[in-house]
Amino acid sequence: MEKIKSLDDLRKKRQELESQLRLREKSNAPESLVQIKVAMATCGIAAGARAVMNTLIERTAAEALPVIVTQTGCMGYCHSEPTVEVHLPGKEAVVFGRVDARKAIDIIEKYIKRGELLDGIIPQNYERI
Amino acid sequence: MAIYKIHLLVCGGTGCRASESAAVVESLRASLTAAGLSDEAQVVATGCFGFCEQGPIVKVMPDNTFYTGVTPADAAEIVAEHVLKGRQVARLLYTDPQHKTPVSDAKQMGFYRKQLRVALRNCGFIDPENIDEYIARDGYAALATVLSDYSPRAAIDVVKRSGLRGRGGGGFPTGLKWEIACGRQADRKYVVCNADEGDPGAFMDRSILEGDPHSILEAMMICGYCIGADRGLIYIRAEYPLAIHRLEVAIGQARACGLLGADIMGTGFDFDIELRYGAGAFVCGEETALIRSMEGRRGEPTVKPPYPAESGYRGQPTNVNNVETFANIPVIFLKGADWFAGIGSERSKGTKVFALAGKINNVGLIEVPMGITLREVIFEIGGGIKDGKRFKAVQTGGPSGGCLTEKHLDTPIDFDTLLAAGSMMGSGGMIVMDEDDCMVSIAKFYLEFTVDESCGKCAPCRIGNKRLYEVLRKITLGHGTADDLEYMRNLSTVIKDTALCGLGQTSPNPVLSTLDNFRSEYEAHIFDHKCPAGQCKALKHYFILPEKCTGCTACARSCAVNAIVGERRQAHSIIQNKCIRCGACIEKCKFEAIQVN
């Protein structure tokens, strides 16, 4: 095991390790974070949702964005899979359809970082109780 | 380094491990490997989540899904449905008993809503056998801050300002204790962690050691720096094998990283920690008895003064703190004394961990801010009384405490209010009783425990408690007399005033508090020869209603002691002095002819 020889060593080690637990820390306070849900039902997976999810997770983790990515079941938009729901804090959730890896990056760069809307938004057609 | 998308946290505390949680971990890992998902999802064995009632618990992050009663056979479904497709396995979700609906987010569970986890901050969150996870959660950062930015006196001042009081039972201000030990001149001083948790039904300290052992090591080092000690000893009972194992792993990892040993983090501060095993005597939780036991002598308390801070382990100044007290220390330095002092009540700061046990729906481990009411703990967090029965009493403080009743339900819980109500905080055991519990038997149960555990050194405890127990036994057998109640009260007062150590000084509390709160129950036993709760067998009286008895002889044939007599087709009767009150006859009678009172 690597020795921690100084206070700086401990600080550095902590920074290196922090990302391992970031996912768990985030789930303690999801309200204050951008919540991304990827629909991962059979149709979503068949249409490539797994690659989209991986892109979203890797990209947001690499840039340490305050984002929490979870998977969810079928959202009912089978015509536009893969679908991704993005919930910015304090705003209405927005659902993007036909997302691929490139569009996933667009969602991060444009919508999440700058609040610009993209093409392919699916109007919410139901209310949750 | 792989980034896991999903973390599956499986409880690895003693409770859940007893119901195969280690096998759940294995089969989750096997299912993930089989599905080719082992790079995407991580399985972590953590410390206790507290919800022991419905273990084994599996918590899925980041969506906070809380699965209860998970078996190894469920692993494949969790992987196929939840990990792969993002669909919760509804049948394993926790179900809200009031609304009968499954709860998908752990935060919405009544059990967690009122809790505030400070001492348990890492329990059920990190892998206790992985120092990296502790460091990622700011582990050892408090030690680093103290070593680099504080003088010992300044650090003690932080602990004093936080208002932290000893969680082992007495509630002595921790900062003051450290200051006294700091002020002594000696060649060598010791820091001792008291992990001799002995109250029946209590498992707070065990869970902290199993779930977050490094926080205790870190706090002991901070204490060592403050009082000028370079040796730490953890006195732990040998009957806690998992806690011992996790401590050994933690000590090994801390040494390997250079966080324990000589010249820690290049600051010139030396500290090392060893374990000492106790054989499980209750009295060894008393600090002077604990020190003698560590020295290899008989675990008997000594007269105070001298206090351990003056002359403790091997005659050297020694600071003894309980596990939960230590668990609060790193947080106080990370978040500040003011933050800590902002939680809790006027004179009891911070939170308290309680082990809920007895006739309560959510048996488990909880941590709440001081000043919360018993009603909130029992009915909101604890989910109320089992089987819809009526609440009768709750015993706090174990054998040293007393019982609190309905009239205390809205009293805020802290060190001082519990003392004023005739009980005590103790280490945090909370045993809930319902209408079927006989309070005389409860007092007898605790006295029996004290008699067993008394070391026998002083007469009041050795002889007095035995006499007290005998009177209680006599009353439950129906031989009590009118002057027994006064006799017990006098004897209790004498024991409290004259016993040598905390064990004897508090042992009559269960008797005194039941006498105060449930006097009518004692009187019913003595004067009416009845046990209102129907628990005391000797006071039960079985008889046959002649008008209902058909003389079928079923009861007589079932009686093991031939106490039922009567001719065939004639009404039978029970010979009282032969009857052993086993109840077998009632079960056989088809005509409801046999009654009990």
Side-chain angles (χ1 to χ4, degrees), chain B residues 223-534:
Chain B
C223 177
Y225 174 75
C226 288
I227 69 165
D230 61 358
R231 297 280 171 94
L233 298 163
I234 301 176
Y235 185 83
I236 182 165
R237 29 183 64 209
E239 65 214 63
Y240 279 179
L242 185 61
I244 290 173
H245 169 71
R246 298 225 165 119
L247 275 172
E248 282 169 344
V249 170
I251 291 172
Q253 288 176 347
R255 277 192 193 135
C257 287
L259 287 169
L260 259 185
D263 191 20
I264 292 166
M265 290 187 271
T267 57
F269 172 64
D270 306 333
F271 200 84
D272 210 350
I273 295 176
E274 285 173 30
L275 301 184
R276 290 284 185 278
Y277 306 116
F282 184 62
V283 72
C284 289
E286 201 282 336
E287 55 185 10
T288 59
L290 180 152
I291 287 168
R292 286 178 68 102
S293 168
M294 286 202 309
E295 291 168 341
R297 295 194 280 168
R298 192 181 262 248
E300 285 177 347
T302 54
V303 181
K304 291 197 270 191
Y307 289 91
E310 298 153 336
S311 172
Y313 184 61
R314 294 184 178 161
Q316 303 295 327
T318 303
N319 180 76
V320 186
N321 282 131
N322 153 274
V323 173
E324 191 188 335
T325 314
F326 277 131
N328 282 295
I329 295 290
V331 199
I332 289 174
F333 283 98
L334 289 173
K335 297 208 169 207
D338 296 333
W339 172 84
F340 190 83
I343 306 167
S345 65
E346 182 64 33
R347 294 190 56 234
S348 301
K349 300 301 184 188
T351 56
K352 181 77 194 82
V353 183
F354 290 104
L356 290 182
K359 310 279 183 64
I360 190 159
N361 276 318
N362 299 338
V363 166
L365 192 71
I366 65 161
E367 182 170 354
V368 288
M370 296 269 194
I372 197 170
T373 62
L374 270 179
R375 188 184 299 280
E376 289 170 287
V377 169
I378 294 169
F379 291 95
E380 293 184 39
I381 298 171
I385 309 301
K386 268 205 160 75
D387 304 324
K389 296 260 166 111
R390 211 164 53 83
F391 167 77
K392 185 167 190 179
V394 56
Q395 175 86 13
T396 65
S400 307
C403 63
L404 301 168
T405 64
E406 219 161 350
K407 68 176 186 227
H408 301 112
L409 277 178
D410 293 306
T411 316
I413 307 172
D414 69 24
F415 286 108
D416 309 307
T417 51
L418 287 183
L419 267 185
S423 182
M424 66 184 284
M425 180 75 83
S427 58
M430 248 192 209
I431 298 181
V432 178
M433 287 158 269
D434 71 7
E435 53 192 299
D436 293 341
D437 286 306
C438 163
M439 300 313 288
V440 184
S441 305
I442 296 282
K444 191 183 79 170
F445 166 78
Y446 282 114
L447 255 294
E448 190 176 3
F449 179 84
T450 320
V451 169
D452 274 353
E453 296 291 345
S454 170
C455 74
K457 184 171 178 177
C458 73
C461 179
R462 182 183 68 240
I463 303 169
N465 281 325
K466 181 85 179 162
R467 294 290 93 83
L468 214 44
Y469 170 72
E470 285 165 358
V471 178
L472 286 166
R473 186 163 178 276
K474 196 176 83 173
I475 294 175
T476 58
L477 290 174
H479 308 312
T481 54
D483 31 321
D484 281 343
L485 298 184
E486 246 358 83
Y487 172 76
M488 282 203 296
R489 189 177 287 280
N490 286 338
L491 183 54
S492 295
T493 317
V494 172
I495 297 172
K496 276 179 82 117
D497 290 346
T498 54
L500 173 63
C501 79
L503 191 153
Q505 287 157 13
T506 56
S507 58
N509 281 350
V511 178
L512 288 172
S513 75
T514 47
L515 272 176
D516 284 341
N517 294 311
F518 295 97
R519 193 178 175 94
S520 62
E521 239 175 90
Y522 279 92
E523 287 168 350
H525 282 77
I526 295 172
F527 301 114
D528 309 334
H529 298 282
K530 280 204 176 107
C531 171

Side-chain angles (χ1 to χ4, degrees), chain A residues 48-56 101:
Chain A
R50 185 160 293 281
V52 171
M53 179 153 174
N54 288 349
T55 308
L56 287 168

Side-chain angles (χ1 to χ4, degrees), chain A residues 4 14 24 50 57 71, chain B residues 5 40 83 125 138 257:
Chain A
I4 296 173
R14 185 187 169 277
R24 278 179 243 167
R50 185 160 293 281
I57 287 174
Q71 42 186 352
Chain B
K5 282 118 202 158
E40 294 193 20
V83 179
F125 195 89
D138 277 327
C257 287

